[in-house]
Amino acid sequence: MGPRPTLSFEFYPPKLQEGIPSVFKSIDKLKEFSPDFVSVTYGAGGSTQSLSEQISIRIKEQTDLVVMAHLTCVSQTKTDVHNVLTRLADAGIQNIIALRGDPPLGQNEFIANKDGFSHANELIDHIRTNFEFGIAAACYPEGHSESTNLELDLEYTKRKVDAGAQFLVTQLFFDNAYFINFLNRARQIGINVPILAGVLPILRTEQIRRFTAFCGATIPDSLGQQLNNLSHDAAAVRELGIEQSTNQVMDLMEKGIDGIHFYALNRSYSISRILSNIGWVKSANISR
Ligand SMILES: Cc1cc2nc3c(=O)[nH]c(=O)nc-3n(C[C@H](O)[C@H](O)[C@H](O)COP(=O)(O)OP(=O)(O)OC[C@H]3O[C@@H](n4cnc5c(N)ncnc54)[C@H](O)[C@@H]3O)c2cc1C
């Protein structure tokens, strides 16, 4: 096995202010595993965008965790985006996961604000030119859902790296073959930055079916069959998720990958179990 991969956890802003304490409860539990960073997603609009900023800033103020704030271009002018970045920088946030974002609910297609950014590479370019943030971007082992051409999708991913993304985080996937294939193709076209594997421990059957239908990730047949068989047994589905992610992460670690980024969904139980299953040393202080 190679050096320890990086470990990171992704949280999302609740719909209402009242939901914030439960996010922090989960962060408190997971921080025992000494993640390299935690990230907070950026909502599609309105209050969740401001809660996203608030949570990133509160994590920064209340813990010693490295925070990466996600930021999208959805429904925002360049000036709006610039203002968010300025507020985050003023609050001491040092890292951004720069995204285009999905079309808002009810829209099938992403339509850029006429004074906004059309693609993540433009946002990354803006950040690199105007701020000092560390920058990451998204990538898609099975191809982005809007893309019909895997090669072109990869070229666009390279554009994000060339614009200044210092590492990439993948969309969720269950079959490691997609990740390894993507990694090899990325290296072949000169994408040399670390690529962190996005891992989502399944919590509920209908939720994972919804997520995968939306983002285009494949549920392998055998896993799909197991989910069908267990669909009414919530505890058993969660156990299956723990087992599946444990095996997935162990295999990825054996392959010496750069990092594991858990989609935590504001929960800590499954991830704690997975990390203890693989013998993750809680306060490892390993230099890489
Ligand atoms: C790790 C991760 C974190 C995420 N966090 C969030 C979040 O916090 N909030 C949220 O709303 N969504 C989030 N998403 C979802 C993401 O916003 C969507 O997948 C979105 O549809 C694409 O964002 P992107 O940054 O990859 O876009 P882009 O890189 O702009 O790609 C979007 C599409 O356009 C194509 N493309 C890219 N660049 C160009 C170009 N220059 N010219 C023409 N075509 C191009 C690509 O092939 C792709 O099909 C996340 C996804 C991942 C993997």
Side-chain angles (χ1 to χ4, degrees):
M1 209 178 284
R4 196 193 88 163
T6 62
L7 176 68
S8 47
F9 303 124
E10 179 174 310
F11 301 91
Y12 67 87
K15 287 206 174 66
L16 301 170
Q17 195 89 28
E18 295 84 287
I20 292 183
S22 85
V23 181
F24 274 86
K25 215 168 124 193
S26 169
I27 293 171
D28 271 348
K29 293 231 170 81
L30 289 176
K31 76 176 186 216
E32 289 175 24
F33 291 97
S34 309
D36 294 83
F37 68 88
V38 299
S39 76
V40 181
T41 64
Y42 198 71
S47 62
T48 58
Q49 292 187 343
S50 102
L51 280 183
S52 176
E53 275 182 66
Q54 275 183 48
I55 292 175
S56 293
I57 292 168
R58 273 181 59 179
I59 299 173
K60 174 80 191 162
E61 285 169 357
Q62 295 177 11
T63 73
D64 53 9
L65 294 166
V66 173
V67 183
M68 294 206 74
H70 296 219
L71 181 59
T72 73
C73 315
V74 178
S75 312
Q76 307 206 77
T77 64
K78 290 179 187 171
T79 308
D80 295 334
V81 169
H82 189 90
N83 291 341
V84 177
L85 287 162
T86 304
R87 286 197 296 274
L88 290 170
D90 288 349
I93 302 290
Q94 292 169 320
N95 304 284
I96 302 288
I97 300 193
L99 303 136
R100 185 201 70 177
D102 285 315
L105 265 188
Q107 277 179 30
N108 294 329
E109 201 186 327
F110 180 89
I111 300 165
N113 183 300
K114 77 174 172 46
D115 298 314
F117 299 108
S118 301
H119 287 289
N121 64 295
E122 296 171 16
L123 171 62
I124 293 165
D125 191 48
H126 181 86
I127 298 173
R128 206 211 47 226
T129 311
N130 295 282
F131 296 89
E132 305 273 304
F133 291 108
I135 309 171
C139 64
Y140 303 86
E142 299 182 57
H144 181 256
S145 56
E146 285 164 33
S147 179
T148 48
N149 182 330
L150 281 182
E151 301 313 313
L152 198 55
D153 196 42
L154 192 60
E155 283 296 334
Y156 288 137
T157 304
K158 183 164 187 301
R159 249 188 233 189
K160 298 195 268 195
V161 174
D162 293 344
Q166 291 144 323
F167 66 92
L168 298 168
V169 184
T170 76
Q171 182 59 275
L172 70 97
F173 60 92
F174 293 108
D175 182 345
N176 288 348
Y178 286 115
F179 178 83
I180 296 301
N181 183 269
F182 175 80
L183 190 63
N184 291 336
R185 290 171 45 240
R187 298 304 184 226
Q188 269 163 22
I189 69 155
I191 296 177
N192 293 317
V193 296
I195 301 182
L196 280 45
V199 173
L200 188 149
I202 295 171
L203 296 174
R204 289 185 289 116
T205 303
E206 72 285 4
Q207 181 189 54
I208 197 60
R209 294 235 183 259
R210 186 163 33 88
F211 285 173
T212 52
F214 184 71
C215 75
T218 303
I219 300 181
D221 288 345
S222 57
L223 181 60
Q225 197 53 55
Q226 285 172 289
L227 285 169
N228 286 345
N229 296 342
L230 298 175
S231 67
H232 297 297
D233 185 344
V237 169
R238 190 171 68 170
E239 283 304 312
L240 174 64
I242 291 169
E243 187 192 324
Q244 193 280 329
S245 295
T246 300
N247 293 336
Q248 186 180 5
V249 170
M250 274 176 30
D251 182 56
L252 289 169
M253 287 177 70
E254 273 163 23
K255 292 181 161 73
I257 67 148
D258 298 316
I260 307 284
H261 181 78
F262 277 107
Y263 291 104
L265 301 175
N266 295 348
R267 303 294 171 91
S268 59
Y269 176 79
S270 294
I271 294 176
S272 301
R273 289 267 312 277
I274 294 158
L275 289 172
S276 80
N277 285 348
I278 63 174
W280 190 271
V281 181
K282 279 198 173 173
S283 51
N285 183 16
I286 297 170
S287 53
R288 329 181 178 79

